[in-house]
Amino acid sequence: MGATGDRAAGGRAAKPYSLRSLRADAVWTALPARDQRLLLWLLAGDVVTAQLASLLVYGALRVAQRRLARLVEYGLLRGFWTASAQRPRGRHAYALTRAARSDLERLQWPEGPPDRPPALPASPPIHQLATHDLLAAFLRAGRPETGEGLVSWAPERPCGDLLGVVRPDALAGIRAGERTLALLLERDLGTERGEVLADKVRRYRWAFTQAPADGLAVGFAVESARRAQTIHALGRRQPGGLTVLTVAAERLLADPLGAPWYDGEQPRSIRDLAAAAAPGDGPILAPGCLLDPDALAAFDDQGAATLSALAPYLR
């Protein structure tokens, strides 16, 4: 009975030789390159699904599921179910454990991380995953042979460091032939009240008080036409500065480069909106992009720094 009691109590610490006791820096060199690059991507991306992981680096979904499960066994990732009132069916996602993030930051910045102001609280995982869905759509739509698609994508975490006053859900650098668009993306799920949404539009107007150069816009991916009308009404009450666009999320997910963005008067595609020259852009990001070790730079502030239209506003 004593043994049964001990066994039932549970909650005991992992043994020193168990998989979960391994530190990220101790196992780093033994990990396949694909695992390493996904873990480094998560320093900025925060959360990932098996579907997105397969698109970024693993290829086959079953391979992604198997590798993610193994990283959970190692104690480097935690798997969890996330849902909300707007997304009641929920999704299974993965994120770095606290210890793994600390270890990876030490590996990434041996002399200490960059000196930056404290980060704002992260959005709920279900919201971040909805934004990552846009990333997945752009990756699938990438056409390296024609020079169309993403050249950079900064997730929510680095966006706060880049711009300071405003923190979009993502910053997308999109090339259309010889032109580029720097798009500040807001993935609107309809959960924010009117006054919160008004303050967000006001901060964008304040951050870009003068009409920016062509090739820079803020875009809200919305769930309904009514929500789009609300955003445009707020924009008209706060004139000047950055162009505020809306797009139906469903259409953006189906055709990222051709979906119509509305400025309150007329629809335009990303091909129409792109205007700035693109001399320093990197390659088009497509499925399997993280197989290239240099592609990680496209997902942080280094990628954003290549966007000429955004350069005057970066911190």
Side-chain angles (χ1 to χ4, degrees):
M1 291 182 64
T4 303
D6 288 342
R7 211 172 276 161
R12 292 176 293 181
K15 295 181 181 180
Y17 53 83
S18 70
L19 287 176
R20 286 185 178 274
S21 70
L22 295 176
R23 297 283 297 255
D25 49 2
V27 302
W28 183 251
T29 56
L31 290 174
R34 293 182 299 176
D35 292 354
Q36 292 180 352
R37 290 167 195 164
L38 181 69
L39 292 172
L40 290 174
W41 181 85
L42 280 167
L43 283 175
D46 277 341
V47 293
V48 72
T49 61
Q51 290 77 9
L52 180 57
S54 68
L55 195 63
L56 285 168
V57 72
Y58 291 119
L61 178 59
R62 294 187 67 177
V63 174
Q65 292 169 330
R66 185 168 65 249
R67 293 309 306 165
L68 290 168
R70 181 54 58 91
L71 293 173
V72 170
E73 290 180 15
Y74 289 162
L76 302 177
L77 296 183
R78 60 184 181 89
F80 58 97
W81 191 260
T82 180
S84 70
Q86 290 71 34
R87 298 289 190 277
R89 293 178 61 183
R91 310 167 77 170
H92 193 74
Y94 300 85
L96 293 169
T97 62
R98 185 176 300 178
R101 176 173 287 278
S102 176
D103 289 345
L104 288 173
E105 288 176 344
R106 188 166 57 253
L107 288 169
Q108 186 83 330
W109 300 289
E111 298 180 0
D115 186 17
R116 292 168 175 165
L120 296 171
S123 296
I126 198 71
H127 186 277
Q128 289 182 296
L129 291 177
T131 306
H132 287 345
D133 287 341
L134 303 182
L135 167 61
F138 275 109
L139 289 177
R140 294 190 186 98
R143 298 291 180 267
E145 65 278 6
T146 61
E148 286 193 330
L150 279 182
V151 293
S152 64
W153 178 280
E156 179 184 68
R157 184 182 291 269
C159 278
D161 298 328
L162 288 167
L163 298 168
V165 178
V166 293
R167 186 183 68 175
D169 294 325
L171 167 61
I174 308 163
R175 185 193 298 161
E178 297 299 319
R179 298 174 299 155
T180 298
L181 173 67
L183 183 61
L184 306 167
L185 269 168
E186 291 286 345
R187 181 63 175 97
D188 184 82
L189 299 180
T191 58
E192 293 176 327
R193 295 176 299 180
E195 58 269 26
V196 176
L197 197 59
D199 180 65
K200 182 176 290 187
V201 174
R202 183 164 48 249
R203 280 187 283 116
Y204 274 112
R205 295 292 198 195
W206 185 87
F208 301 91
T209 50
Q210 297 181 358
D214 290 340
L216 177 63
V218 57
F220 288 77
V222 298
E223 297 291 293
S224 68
R226 182 174 182 178
R227 189 69 166 179
Q229 291 171 359
T230 299
I231 291 170
H232 289 303
L234 292 170
R236 284 191 290 271
R237 283 197 294 243
Q238 301 165 27
L242 197 62
T243 301
V244 176
L245 305 166
T246 61
V247 65
E250 183 178 6
R251 298 194 67 175
L252 184 61
L253 290 169
D255 183 9
L257 298 175
W261 293 81
Y262 289 87
D263 59 8
E265 296 181 0
Q266 62 180 344
R268 290 183 284 174
S269 72
I270 280 176
R271 296 182 180 94
D272 300 326
L273 293 162
D281 289 343
I284 300 297
L285 300 174
C289 56
L290 290 188
L291 292 173
D292 178 358
D294 295 329
L296 277 168
F299 291 98
D300 58 21
D301 51 356
Q302 297 179 60
T306 67
L307 302 174
S308 57
L310 191 66
Y313 306 98
L314 296 177
R315 293 206 298 189

